[in-house]
Amino acid sequence: MGQPIMIVFAGPNGSGKSSLTSQIQRICSFPRLYINADNLKSERNMNEKQAADTADRLRQQAVISRHSFVTETLLSTTKNINLMRVAQETGFFVYLVYVLTMDPLINVNRVKYRADRGGHFIPPEKVITRYHRAIDLIPEAIQAANHVEIYDNSYTAPVLIFGKKPIEHLGRSGNRIKTNTYEDFSYPQPFPSKWNLTNIKRLVYPKNTKSIKGLLPPEVYYENKIAEVIDNDVWHGKSDDINIVMEMINKGYSKTDIHVAIILKSPGLIGNLVDANRYAEDILKYVLNVKLQAARDGSV
């Protein structure tokens, strides 16, 4: 018997979880057990509370019996996030697919559209409250999962904006072995989407921190980000620093990202963190002045 799997489709009301689930089901093989309170409500003629309680019980039974399953939930409370943690601790591979939008008013309008056509009505104030509660819990949900995909479904089709997966290495027999260390991937979107790199990081990282438990340490994270911009991730001196910073600005990295990247790469070159911090400020100031002057001259 292989490792049990828990697949969680999550996100606020009106984000499009069910639509994305149906799309993925058509191309992927799912565990047979599918637990969804909305389905239980219609199939068993239950009220909302009865359906929610039954879904909770079925999820708990599946984890206890180590039975693979798929479930759909808002994740607007910590209850199912705690269940994800328990599932991880008991040997499940937890796969989270999170669907959201850029603004809760999108969700309100979709719920109203659905209700006007005979679907389940949810008061707008409840949709908005649940939206903000769910969004605030995303960092906890990411920590409780082994594999994460977050999609923005604000427009006509869902777009992947963030992913997390275990780092793998080859075993002796050539098979791929998942480790307990993770790497993450951000996919910034162009305007008018709000999901630039800074907003994605605000979404997925716990407040007042720059990293997620289990992910790569900040030094490696920024080293990888720099490598995405320039093939050579070894900095040889000030001229290289200026070029890399210029590239990072052009790629849309925030000033904070660039500042931290310079500091993490600089101590070995210039001696200590105090000097590195001052050096980072000087580099940033220089590059921004160059870009400002170029803009004034009309060369950019």
Side-chain angles (χ1 to χ4, degrees), residues 2-5 63 66 85-94 146:
Q3 182 182 23
I5 301 171
V63 171
R66 291 176 53 79
R85 291 192 184 103
V86 171
Q88 263 193 332
E89 291 167 2
T90 54
F92 276 76
F93 187 88
V94 180
N146 301 97

Side-chain angles (χ1 to χ4, degrees), residues 55-300:
D56 285 340
R57 187 177 70 254
L58 291 173
R59 284 189 282 258
Q60 291 167 10
Q61 289 174 350
V63 171
I64 291 169
S65 63
R66 291 176 53 79
H67 196 92
S68 294
F69 68 102
V70 184
T71 190
E72 194 173 315
T73 175
L74 300 179
L75 283 190
S76 59
T77 70
T78 57
K79 180 171 57 179
N80 283 320
I81 294 175
N82 291 335
L83 186 66
M84 290 164 63
R85 291 192 184 103
V86 171
Q88 263 193 332
E89 291 167 2
T90 54
F92 276 76
F93 187 88
V94 180
Y95 196 120
L96 173 64
V97 179
Y98 201 102
V99 189
L100 49 70
T101 65
M102 294 188 293
D103 191 292
L105 291 181
I106 296 173
N107 301 60
V108 169
N109 289 330
R110 286 181 180 171
V111 170
K112 182 179 183 302
Y113 180 87
R114 183 178 65 193
D116 289 345
R117 283 151 185 77
H120 176 53
F121 174 74
I122 305 170
E125 61 274 13
K126 185 175 284 190
V127 174
I128 293 171
T129 299
R130 288 176 175 174
Y131 176 96
H132 290 297
R133 283 208 316 253
I135 295 298
D136 287 344
L137 287 171
I138 284 178
E140 287 190 49
I142 291 172
Q143 291 182 15
N146 301 97
H147 184 112
V148 179
E149 294 174 11
I150 300 180
Y151 292 88
D152 173 29
N153 198 28
S154 300
Y155 301 109
T156 55
V159 176
L160 182 66
I161 61 171
F162 177 83
K164 165 191 166 184
K165 68 177 184 178
I167 293 175
E168 298 179 339
H169 64 82
L170 290 177
R172 291 182 179 178
S173 58
N175 59 316
R176 302 189 73 85
I177 301 172
K178 292 181 173 65
T179 68
N180 291 324
T181 304
Y182 299 87
E183 55 185 340
D184 69 333
F185 306 90
S186 296
Y187 304 96
Q189 301 301 306
F191 184 82
S193 172
K194 70 178 279 187
W195 300 118
N196 55 34
L197 187 64
T198 299
N199 284 335
I200 292 172
K201 287 177 62 177
R202 286 175 181 159
L203 177 75
V204 302
Y205 289 151
K207 287 181 175 57
N208 302 319
T209 185
K210 289 284 184 184
S211 63
I212 301 174
K213 181 182 177 183
L215 290 182
L216 293 173
E219 301 83 43
V220 181
Y221 173 81
Y222 281 104
E223 207 165 275
N224 289 348
K225 291 302 179 187
I226 293 164
E228 288 175 11
V229 178
I230 290 186
D231 291 336
N232 178 15
D233 66 349
V234 179
W235 294 13
H236 298 292
K238 188 170 182 178
S239 60
D240 287 335
D241 292 356
I242 291 170
N243 291 334
I244 289 175
V245 169
M246 188 73 81
E247 287 290 329
M248 292 183 80
I249 290 174
N250 292 338
K251 291 285 186 179
Y253 287 87
S254 71
K255 291 181 183 178
T256 302
D257 273 353
I258 298 167
H259 193 105
V260 173
I262 297 170
I263 290 173
L264 290 171
K265 296 295 286 187
S266 298
L269 295 174
I270 58 177
N272 61 63
L273 194 58
V274 174
D275 288 341
N277 191 56
R278 192 176 298 117
Y279 178 72
E281 291 174 358
D282 289 342
I283 290 286
L284 256 178
K285 190 182 299 182
Y286 175 86
V287 171
L288 291 173
N289 284 338
V290 168
K291 288 185 70 67
L292 180 61
Q293 189 61 48
R296 287 172 178 165
D297 295 342
S299 58
V300 293

